[in-house]
Amino acid sequence: MAKQNYEELSQNILTQVGGKENISRAYHCMTRLRLDIKDKGLVNIDELEKVSGIVGTQWNGNQLQIIIGQQVDDVYVDFCKVSGLAEETKIDENLDEGKKKFSIQSLFQTMSAILLPVVPALAGGGMIKGLITILTSYCGIDEASTAIVVMTMAGDCVFYFLPFLVAWSASRRFKTDTALAIAMAGVLLYPTMTSGYTDGLSAMSFFGLPIPFVRYYGSTIPIILTVWVLSYVYKWINNLIPKSLRIVFVPTLVLAIMTPLALIVIGPLATYISQALVYVFNFLYGLSPMIAGAIVGGTRLFVVMTGMHLSLSTIALGNIAEMGYDWLLPMNTMGTLALFGACFGVWLKAKNSENKQIGASTAISSFIGITEPGIYGIFLKFRTAMIATIAGGAVGGAIVGLFGGRATAYVNSCILSTPVFMTDNFWCVALGMAVSAIIAFAIVMVLGLKEDEPAEQNN
């Protein structure tokens, strides 16, 4: 939502809530414009939620909460100008409840709040990557051609440098210094680290402590955890240093502390979890292919979300080298098709125009194998979509595992890779893909969406 649209948005809000005369007070928190309403009967909620730029609404007594997102600061300023109401200081604490305890739901809400601002860039890059796949795989376009190289740069840049975008958004969520957060993303993507990973070098030693070369490009969890820790380190040091010395010594000390901490502890954590996952998935497949398929298909997007999916590629590559086929890639594809079904359902079911647009774009990108936009724009945002995707992926994965679906080469897990799955048991892969998408779609359509309760609630 561009800045020039805020006045128009503000006027639309004012009209649908019954005008200035129906508002006794206007203020805001991190994501919501909060209006104390005199007569609730004058508020047209249905029309208000159709306004572009509004994610949803929620009542708390006579207080109308209009969910805007992280642009609410700028929207509030324009709303006060349009309405003539006095501006108030931003509310930092939760006005509705006491401090909430940690929960899985709040964890996903936080991740979604951080990643949603990045979704438009991911969607654009994902569409370009999908188009490249179609042009090079089915239209005979040479991968080395200048046009494809330039398109690849456009499509890959968002994914490769994703830690920078996430660092920016996470710094706003955790209320810490944005420049230092982005600098920490630079640490993870520093040429020494990326080339060390690419070349397969052994870990560096930092005063006897190992710094492994980890794949940080395209990842989200390492930088989110890093910025979260940075928020506490920054606050501690900022309080410790006198005001006259902060501009120099605070960033110096924060970088000096956070850089080795991120490289030695926080960043490599995902790698250690990846190694454990490889062992677990191999064990489960040996125990029961159907159970393994259900778990792989159902948890596929969580693995992608953590950036650990490429670590599991060692299983697929090893299987192909040893046996000439692999069982993991078809199972992974079930999670991708389930996400497509869920996003397609959101596209049709959502009433909010912005949610419809996100549903449409993520359905297309998921269908061609680019899952990140759908994960961060739909999967984490709507509880129904998450349940639908897990269920659809699990059932499809179980079918593939039970009947022995296989891949004969290493490919991206999507419907465009169908030729690689055409072995004697191809029918079960095709059935699994259809079932995964249909189940996920049906669950979203039946259960519906709670659009007035987005991922960001603790504001």
Side-chain angles (χ1 to χ4, degrees), residues 6-27:
Y6 293 156
E7 290 188 7
E8 180 181 351
L9 171 60
S10 299
Q11 185 60 59
N12 287 335
I13 293 174
L14 192 63
T15 300
Q16 302 305 331
V17 300
K20 174 186 176 181
E21 296 75 15
N22 198 34
I23 304 172
S24 59
R25 182 188 175 199
Y27 47 113

Side-chain angles (χ1 to χ4, degrees), residues 17-64:
V17 300
K20 174 186 176 181
E21 296 75 15
N22 198 34
I23 304 172
S24 59
R25 182 188 175 199
Y27 47 113
H28 75 297
C29 55
M30 288 182 64
T31 61
R32 305 183 185 202
L33 174 63
R34 297 170 181 260
L35 306 177
D36 287 349
I37 300 297
K38 298 176 183 178
D39 184 354
K40 295 173 67 172
L42 297 178
V43 179
N44 191 336
I45 290 293
D46 291 337
E47 291 300 318
L48 186 61
E49 292 187 341
K50 293 178 182 178
V51 175
S52 178
I54 295 178
V55 179
T57 62
Q58 184 172 311
W59 285 103
N60 183 17
N62 286 326
Q63 180 194 101
L64 174 61

Side-chain angles (χ1 to χ4, degrees), residues 96-279:
D96 310 314
E97 304 175 41
K99 187 176 181 180
K100 292 187 177 181
K101 296 181 180 179
F102 171 81
S103 66
I104 296 298
Q105 181 180 350
S106 66
L107 176 62
F108 286 129
Q109 289 171 352
T110 298
M111 290 194 63
S112 181
I114 292 172
L115 295 166
L116 273 174
V118 183
V119 167
L122 288 172
M127 292 298 292
I128 292 175
K129 285 170 67 69
L131 180 59
I132 291 170
T133 300
I134 294 172
L135 291 175
T136 56
S137 300
Y138 300 98
C139 298
I141 305 298
D142 185 4
E143 293 183 3
S145 66
T146 302
I148 295 299
V149 170
V150 172
M151 288 178 66
T152 300
M153 292 167 63
D156 281 348
C157 66
V158 177
F159 296 91
Y160 188 94
F161 295 109
L162 185 58
F164 284 105
L165 301 177
V166 174
W168 157 73
S169 186
S171 70
R172 299 180 66 178
R173 171 68 182 183
F174 298 132
K175 301 177 186 176
T176 192
D177 188 271
T178 300
L180 288 176
I182 294 175
M184 291 312 304
V187 168
L188 299 182
L189 293 178
Y190 196 74
T192 300
M193 299 303 298
T194 54
S195 63
Y197 171 79
T198 303
D199 297 338
L201 301 180
S202 300
M204 295 187 293
S205 178
F206 183 80
F207 295 106
L209 298 173
I211 297 179
F213 293 105
V214 178
R215 179 190 179 276
Y216 291 120
Y217 48 89
S219 66
T220 57
I221 301 300
I223 189 60
I224 290 176
L225 290 175
T226 298
V227 175
W228 176 64
V229 174
L230 182 145
S231 67
Y232 289 97
V233 173
Y234 180 87
K235 184 177 180 180
W236 172 63
I237 293 177
N238 196 58
N239 291 335
L240 193 66
I241 302 296
K243 286 186 178 181
S244 60
L245 302 176
R246 285 177 182 172
I247 192 170
V248 174
F249 288 98
V250 169
T252 301
L253 292 174
V254 169
L255 288 174
I257 293 172
M258 285 303 305
T259 297
L261 190 59
L263 295 177
I264 296 171
V265 180
I266 303 172
L269 182 62
T271 299
Y272 302 141
I273 297 175
S274 297
Q275 294 171 353
L277 280 177
V278 169
Y279 172 81

Side-chain angles (χ1 to χ4, degrees), residues 78 88 176 191 208 357 416 430 433:
D78 283 352
E88 297 187 21
T176 192
Q357 292 173 21
L416 296 180
M433 289 192 288

Side-chain angles (χ1 to χ4, degrees), residues 357-393:
Q357 292 173 21
I358 294 176
S361 64
T362 55
I364 296 172
S365 61
S366 298
F367 187 73
I368 56 180
I370 311 300
T371 56
E372 286 85 354
I375 291 174
Y376 305 134
I378 299 296
F379 181 75
L380 287 177
K381 185 176 182 180
F382 299 110
R383 187 182 297 106
T384 302
M386 180 180 291
I387 293 172
T389 304
I390 294 172

